[in-house]
Amino acid sequence: GHELAMHVLYQLQCVNVADAPESSISTSEHYEKFFISLAKLLIDVLPASDKSFSKLLCDAPCLPESLFRFLEGLCMSQGNNQQTKDSEGDRVTQGLGTVWSLILGRPPLRQACLDIVLKCAIHSQDEVRGKAVRLVAKKLYDLTYASEKVEQFATDSLLAIANKHGVSTDVNFTTSKESTSEVEVSNQEASVSGSQISDAGPSASGSTKTSLISPKQSAISVSEAKRHTSLFFALCTKRPTLLRQLFNVYGGSPKVVKQCIHWHIPTLVRNLGSSCPEMLDIIHSPPEGSEELVTMILQTLTEESNPSANLVVAVKHLYETKLKDASILIPLLSSFPKEEVLPIFPRLVDLSPDRFQDALARILQGSAHTGPALTPAEVLIAIHDINPEKDKVPLKKGHRCLYCLL
């Protein structure tokens, strides 16, 4: 069946390119109608796991423009009878796998196919977006001829949503299965065809570029913020140098976008680890307005393990130079010895009561290696030794903290 279909397509294409002007238009139409009918038949009749559709597109002499619209609809699970899954696979995976095969096997079609995947990577449906983000981050981003465009698209998407201001409300993000897999760049990948067939003839895509955000919109929805940041975070895991761009835009971002970044950050930080040079460099000297993000990173890094020596050095430098706010030190206090806690103790007492309580809990907990930095009795003595005028700590606040201990 495949050989016969290829024979017909090549015959039609040969007639189409021959010197027969009076029949070329008619033949071109016949080619397109036959091709699209055959493609639809393969999708309707065969399971999603079957490779016949992918092989048809890889082997055909050329792909008509309407085929790219059909392929894009398949990637987005539109207009077919099995929109989600059948017994052996799903159509979104089939479509993206076919696009991946075309990118590898038919270089003239790479840009058109890349446009389809990137459009899917900011799709509103979690399933479509999640699979596309995984394909881009795990495979396309590694291709030298695609990495620059992929990175630029993800950056432009982030900037578009970060610079878009309007009426927005606080939201509570909950981690869905699909969204988590985007950030973690899950091992589940779109199935791909092993076909590596070079393009046998000229073909134009006519694919239109994706419009990131409509200029008429003024408010930012939760889903809009999530879908325009997922790809960027997935790329950060592969290329941590992108972190600097994230921190640069954070301070001026709308509240919903900041909350979306907060939602992404813990998974990203765990993937990168506390020894990531790019992350340590940012903590050492973060862009203005990103201090809250630094605090969240420190909290994540110190949740399950003691901070590394390099992390402690970076945070201490930040505290001593740019950020004279002792709250930045709180996540590290469990690893501080007594001689390092006492000099900064007045600054900790001067924090808000809830932050001081957090700091106190870490001081009294200490680390498994050194034990508590201060005992409860030493804490009481340290509070008593505070000089309100010299240390610039209001006496009432010192008393409040003392009462909390009693």
Side-chain angles (χ1 to χ4, degrees):
H2 180 76
E3 291 76 12
L4 178 60
M6 287 300 105
H7 178 74
V8 174
L9 287 172
Y10 272 92
Q11 287 294 326
L12 289 172
Q13 179 67 2
C14 287
V15 174
N16 186 33
V17 298
D19 293 329
E22 68 280 358
S23 63
S24 61
I25 296 179
S26 175
T27 305
S28 176
E29 291 176 351
H30 283 310
Y31 180 94
E32 180 172 2
K33 288 180 179 179
F34 177 75
F35 196 109
I36 297 298
S37 297
L38 182 57
K40 290 181 177 179
L41 179 64
L42 293 176
I43 293 298
D44 291 339
V45 173
L46 299 175
S49 57
D50 191 275
K51 304 297 182 185
S52 298
F53 175 76
S54 178
K55 188 170 177 56
L56 170 68
L57 271 59
C58 288
D59 291 354
C62 75
L63 302 185
E65 181 178 334
S66 57
L67 187 280
F68 287 90
R69 293 191 295 271
F70 178 78
L71 182 57
E72 181 178 309
L74 181 64
C75 292
M76 297 182 181
S77 192
Q78 297 171 353
N80 58 68
N81 295 330
Q82 296 169 306
Q83 291 191 355
T84 53
K85 296 183 179 180
D86 58 30
S87 59
E88 299 183 62
D90 68 88
R91 296 302 178 183
V92 175
T93 297
Q94 182 184 24
L96 291 173
T98 301
V99 171
W100 169 245
S101 297
L102 291 173
I103 289 174
L104 292 181
R106 305 187 74 155
L109 308 182
R110 283 173 181 167
Q111 288 306 312
C113 291
L114 187 56
D115 286 342
I116 291 176
V117 181
L118 292 177
K119 186 181 292 186
C120 291
I122 59 169
H123 198 273
S124 58
Q125 293 181 25
D126 284 350
E127 181 189 13
V128 174
R129 186 177 67 253
K131 292 178 183 297
V133 166
R134 287 193 293 272
L135 175 59
V136 173
K138 291 186 70 67
K139 295 185 175 181
L140 284 172
Y141 197 34
D142 292 332
L143 302 177
T144 54
Y145 50 80
S147 59
E148 184 177 352
K149 180 169 184 176
V150 165
E151 190 171 306
Q152 189 62 55
F153 181 89
T155 303
D156 289 345
S157 184
L158 172 69
L159 292 175
I161 199 74
N163 294 327
K164 187 181 180 205
H165 289 267
V167 179
S168 59
T169 57
D170 292 347
V171 294
N172 291 320
F173 286 98
T174 56
T175 305
S176 67
K177 180 179 179 182
E178 293 82 3
S179 300
T180 301
S181 62
E182 291 167 21
V183 181
E184 294 176 346
V185 194
S186 169
N187 288 330
Q188 179 187 358
E189 301 166 8
S191 61
V192 298
S193 167
S195 178
Q196 299 262 344
I197 302 172
S198 60
D199 204 310
S203 58
S205 70
S207 176
T208 57
K209 303 232 182 263
T210 303
S211 176
L212 295 179
I213 294 179
S214 170
K216 294 181 180 180
Q217 295 174 317
S218 58
I220 303 172
S221 66
V222 175
S223 60
E224 189 180 11
K226 287 174 66 175
R227 72 189 184 92
H228 282 88
T229 55
S230 295
L231 179 60
F232 188 87
F233 274 92
L235 299 188
C236 282
T237 304
K238 298 288 290 288
R239 192 165 299 173
T241 52
L242 295 174
L243 281 172
R244 179 65 64 173
Q245 179 70 70
L246 178 67
F247 277 75
N248 285 339
V249 305
Y250 174 83
S253 296
K255 185 173 291 186
V256 168
V257 176
K258 285 184 177 180
Q259 291 173 316
C260 184
I261 293 174
H262 294 171
W263 176 73
H264 277 294
I265 275 292
T267 303
L268 174 62
V269 169
R270 293 186 191 102
N271 286 338
L272 293 175
S274 60
S275 60
C276 174
E278 292 83 0
M279 190 159 57
L280 289 172
D281 182 60
I282 290 174
I283 293 173
H284 188 272
S285 183
E288 185 176 353
S290 65
E291 294 80 11
E292 185 179 5
L293 206 52
V294 172
T295 300
M296 176 166 282
I297 289 177
L298 295 178
Q299 290 171 343
T300 302
L301 290 176
T302 56
E303 275 177 358
E304 300 178 356
S305 61
N306 291 326
S308 65
N310 289 336
L311 181 61
V312 172
V313 169
V315 176
K316 284 182 177 179
H317 178 270
L318 173 61
Y319 174 69
E320 293 166 0
T321 57
K322 291 185 68 174
L323 189 62
K324 299 291 185 178
D325 182 357
S327 62
I328 199 70
L329 300 173
I330 292 178
L332 310 180
L333 287 177
S334 58
S335 66
F336 277 23
K338 178 179 179 178
E339 56 269 21
E340 291 187 9
V341 170
L342 287 177
I344 62 172
F345 196 79
R347 303 281 65 82
L348 297 174
V349 174
D350 197 31
L351 296 173
S352 63
D354 58 329
R355 292 199 174 210
F356 176 70
Q357 288 298 306
D358 188 9
L360 197 57
R362 292 174 183 264
I363 291 172
L364 293 173
Q365 174 190 354
S367 67
H369 300 291
T370 62
L374 299 175
T375 65
E378 288 173 327
V379 169
L380 290 172
I381 294 172
I383 292 177
H384 184 269
D385 287 344
I386 291 177
N387 185 321
E389 294 183 3
K390 180 182 176 182
D391 296 321
K392 297 181 180 179
V393 178
L395 189 58
K396 284 185 178 181
K397 195 166 192 178
H399 281 167
R400 274 205 311 274
C401 296
L402 178 59
Y403 296 150
C404 290
L405 289 171
L406 294 176

